[in-house]
Amino acid sequence: MEREIQVANSTKRVIIEFDSPVLNGARFLEHSFDRATRKSSKRVVAASGSLLYLSEDLGDSWRCLPIDGIKTIQNAFTLQNGDILVSGFDERDASNNRLSLIRGSSTISSEIVGKSGWHATFSIDQSDDCIMFSEYPTNPKGSKEHDDETDARVFRSMDGGITWEVVFSVGFPDIRHFHTCTFFPDSNSWVITSGDTPEQSRFWNSFDNGESWSEVTDSNPDSSGEVENPQSMHRTVVMHEHEGKYIWATDDILGRLSGYDRGYECIEWLPIPGANQYRVLIRNYTTNQLVSKNIIEPEQGCSFIFDWEGVEIDHDLRFRVQYRDRESSGWRDSSEYSTISRDFRWSKTRLLMNEGRMKTRSKLVSSEKVGGISMEEICDLGMHIRSMIDVGFGYVLFSEAKYVDIAPNPQVFLILKEEIDNPHLLMNIPNERKQVTGVTYSRSSIKDHNGVFFTQIEKGLIFENTEIVRWKITIE
């Protein structure tokens, strides 16, 4: 797939390809990331039931390892020495989390470590001998309050993943569970985040490998008055570093679903000599209905803003620009019907002009590392963001589709580092069945390897028989 994007005063061409390694029934778990070099390797880890699949060549070939004692593998994490931590439901008691340490083809240790494993990609990390992960108990409504079964804990190992201890815990319902646990080498700091309600979405940090923790939640988020639930800006399942700051995307649209902003399109054309008026027609080719017909006077410029509010975004929408001159009362076509670009742009200026409607979307957010969290909105995205991959020149982000009557398609965005406040929609992931989906379920590469990265994508969206998708992105 090719996509042209506007950057400052130039146009760039983005090419994104995807396929799936031949591994039916398996689910992506990890694309190994070297904490020393801050680069992704060629190792990819997947699983199906109690079987662990390993590839050392970016998914071109695989070998299989049965993991004894685990009924269903949930997550995996490659240590700096190449060993692999495998987490999953204990085969004797599925209410327990079993953690196995794999070296080569051998199991070095296998122990019950808490009731729950970690959430996904950004929920476990390593700094030299220190490995820490944050728990993800499900804790549905009505769960026991401040009980060992529902507490969310942070576990630490100092001996390569053989033994574990609890270094921090927060009871339910103060938080529901932890989302991320990330180490930042430049500041020698660990950051953990939690969710899910606004009050449960919080940040902590540690500068001594978990010996002590301080809450650094932003008590007064600067949301410019456009966020209904500013505390939810802390809710995230991803965490990166950009220009010396923490940067993340929210796993929340920060307000009511009824206020979700689908964005707008800017349709532009070149001036036509002699044109007295322009007319923009937008037709829904899925239903063969005319969606919009608007007259544009020349003094208004050669552009039209089309609002996606109330329009089925998974339908085939196309536009045509017509014109007429002073000599004729009829309309002339300037072109054939063209497919709408689907940029789903958003702007604060448009919000203020739009009768003050409260609009909600997920956001890209950053914060200085010094002191407590002091959040700054960067840009708006779409529905809840579940994955964010550093691809060198920018970040690729994936949104979920849990509310299919409002936004039926998971979406893939690109944000260039040179224009961090300008998101571009790369594609809508097909969802013809309108299945409710977390899409990647927060499992993805942290960084690409020469343009190649991986995500989990739920079955039935892109592929029917596997949840491993290999992507390649280039920009020209």
Side-chain angles (χ1 to χ4, degrees):
M1 188 205 80
E2 295 186 12
R3 183 87 160 82
E4 286 191 349
I5 61 174
Q6 294 296 320
V7 180
N9 296 319
S10 65
T11 300
K12 293 183 181 289
R13 188 164 66 108
V14 179
I15 303 170
I16 187 162
E17 307 167 74
F18 57 88
D19 65 0
S20 180
V22 182
L23 203 60
N24 287 341
R27 176 168 54 89
F28 169 81
L29 296 183
E30 184 205 23
H31 181 189
S32 176
F33 178 69
D34 189 314
R35 265 70 190 173
T37 64
R38 313 305 291 177
K39 296 179 180 179
S40 291
S41 72
K42 291 185 176 183
R43 173 180 285 182
V44 184
V45 186
S48 178
S50 62
L51 299 178
L52 190 73
Y53 294 97
L54 297 176
S55 172
E56 305 292 351
D57 54 11
L58 293 175
D60 287 338
S61 62
W62 298 83
R63 64 187 178 97
C64 177
L65 289 175
I67 305 299
D68 294 335
I70 294 181
K71 182 178 181 180
T72 305
I73 297 170
Q74 293 295 300
N75 283 304
F77 178 74
T78 299
L79 305 183
Q80 282 300 98
N81 65 359
D83 292 353
I84 301 174
L85 287 172
V86 181
S87 171
F89 302 128
D90 179 52
E91 66 179 2
R92 292 185 178 179
D93 183 354
S95 66
N96 287 327
N97 173 58
R98 180 168 287 278
L99 196 53
S100 297
L101 180 63
I102 309 300
R103 181 174 297 159
S105 299
S106 302
T107 300
I108 302 302
S109 67
S110 184
E111 303 291 339
I112 300 298
V113 181
K115 292 288 184 181
S116 307
W118 58 91
H119 175 51
T121 298
F122 288 93
S123 311
I124 183 171
D125 213 337
Q126 181 177 6
S127 169
D128 296 326
D129 294 332
C130 179
I131 308 161
M132 285 198 282
F133 74 84
S134 55
E135 270 190 319
Y136 191 79
T138 54
N139 285 344
K141 289 182 179 179
S143 296
K144 296 178 182 179
E145 297 187 5
H146 298 285
D147 185 90
D148 285 344
E149 293 184 7
T150 58
D151 287 353
R153 293 164 291 188
V154 176
F155 284 90
R156 180 181 69 180
S157 174
M158 301 296 292
D159 58 6
I162 296 175
T163 62
W164 296 85
E165 61 179 330
V166 176
V167 293
F168 187 63
S169 68
V170 182
F172 174 82
D174 295 346
I175 68 170
R176 184 181 179 190
H177 39 223
F178 289 115
H179 285 173
T180 68
C181 178
T182 312
F183 179 71
F184 292 90
D186 68 320
S187 56
N188 196 38
S189 63
W190 289 82
V191 175
I192 54 176
T193 71
S194 65
D196 283 338
T197 67
E199 297 75 21
Q200 293 172 333
S201 300
R202 301 158 64 181
F203 275 52
W204 292 265
N205 67 12
S206 173
F207 293 91
D208 52 14
N209 281 340
E211 289 294 328
S212 61
W213 295 88
S214 300
E215 183 166 3
V216 289
T217 303
D218 190 342
S219 59
N220 187 28
D222 180 14
S223 61
S224 305
E226 296 159 11
V227 174
E228 184 177 352
N229 299 323
Q231 184 77 13
S232 291
M233 289 167 65
H234 294 88
R235 180 177 170 178
T236 182
V237 293
V238 300
M239 186 62 65
H240 283 279
E241 180 181 25
H242 177 71
E243 295 185 346
K245 296 182 179 182
Y246 303 131
I247 188 169
W248 67 92
T250 63
D251 179 30
D252 200 287
I253 60 170
L254 311 173
R256 291 185 294 264
L257 282 170
S258 59
Y260 179 70
D261 183 4
R262 294 181 175 182
Y264 70 94
E265 305 296 325
C266 183
I267 297 171
E268 300 175 302
W269 59 92
L270 293 174
I272 298 174
N276 190 36
Q277 282 183 322
Y278 298 102
R279 185 168 71 173
V280 180
L281 305 178
I282 298 177
R283 184 174 293 278
N284 185 332
Y285 267 64
T286 303
T287 62
N288 200 31
Q289 294 178 325
L290 192 64
V291 173
S292 175
K293 181 168 64 175
N294 294 270
I295 304 293
I296 308 296
E297 302 294 338
E299 57 267 24
Q300 295 177 267
C302 296
S303 65
F304 170 70
I305 299 298
F306 171 65
D307 197 325
W308 280 92
E309 188 71 26
V311 179
E312 292 286 348
I313 66 171
D314 58 342
H315 285 192
D316 179 14
L317 269 71
R318 307 182 192 184
F319 73 93
R320 168 184 277 173
V321 177
Q322 298 179 321
Y323 71 98
R324 61 183 175 189
D325 53 34
R326 293 181 179 84
E327 305 299 325
S328 172
S329 60
W331 290 99
R332 300 177 181 178
D333 295 331
S334 66
S335 65
E336 298 295 324
Y337 273 101
S338 303
T339 302
I340 279 185
S341 62
R342 294 179 177 271
D343 275 331
F344 297 100
R345 300 184 192 181
W346 184 93
S347 73
K348 294 180 180 180
T349 302
R350 173 176 170 270
L351 173 73
L352 296 174
M353 294 174 59
N354 207 357
E355 301 177 0
R357 284 190 298 174
M358 178 65 73
K359 286 304 207 177
T360 56
R361 272 189 164 201
S362 61
K363 293 181 180 291
L364 189 67
V365 183
S366 71
S367 171
E368 297 285 354
K369 293 182 180 179
V370 179
I373 296 297
S374 179
M375 295 187 292
E376 177 186 357
E377 296 176 31
I378 299 175
C379 64
D380 279 56
L381 295 164
M383 276 292 176
H384 310 62
I385 297 299
R386 295 303 299 267
S387 289
M388 179 176 175
I389 302 98
D390 184 342
V391 293
F393 54 81
Y395 299 98
V396 176
L397 305 98
F398 291 76
S399 69
E400 69 179 21
K402 292 285 184 71
Y403 305 97
V404 294
D405 291 336
I406 297 173
N409 294 89
Q411 296 178 321
V412 183
F413 297 90
L414 172 65
I415 298 177
L416 300 181
K417 293 179 181 179
E418 64 184 270
E419 267 191 1
I420 199 72
D421 61 347
N422 185 18
H424 306 274
L425 179 72
L426 290 184
M427 64 180 291
N428 293 316
I429 294 177
N431 190 12
E432 295 179 1
R433 303 169 188 164
K434 288 193 174 182
Q435 67 187 70
V436 175
T437 175
V439 190
T440 69
Y441 292 91
S442 311
R443 294 183 179 91
S444 72
S445 304
I446 293 175
K447 296 188 75 171
D448 70 304
H449 180 92
N450 296 332
V452 176
F453 64 93
F454 288 80
T455 65
Q456 177 183 343
I457 298 289
E458 188 170 8
K459 292 177 185 176
L461 295 173
I462 294 180
F463 300 110
E464 293 292 335
N465 300 316
T466 185
E467 295 193 11
I468 308 171
V469 179
R470 176 172 55 190
W471 305 79
K472 184 171 184 179
I473 187 168
T474 54
I475 190 167
E476 299 174 350

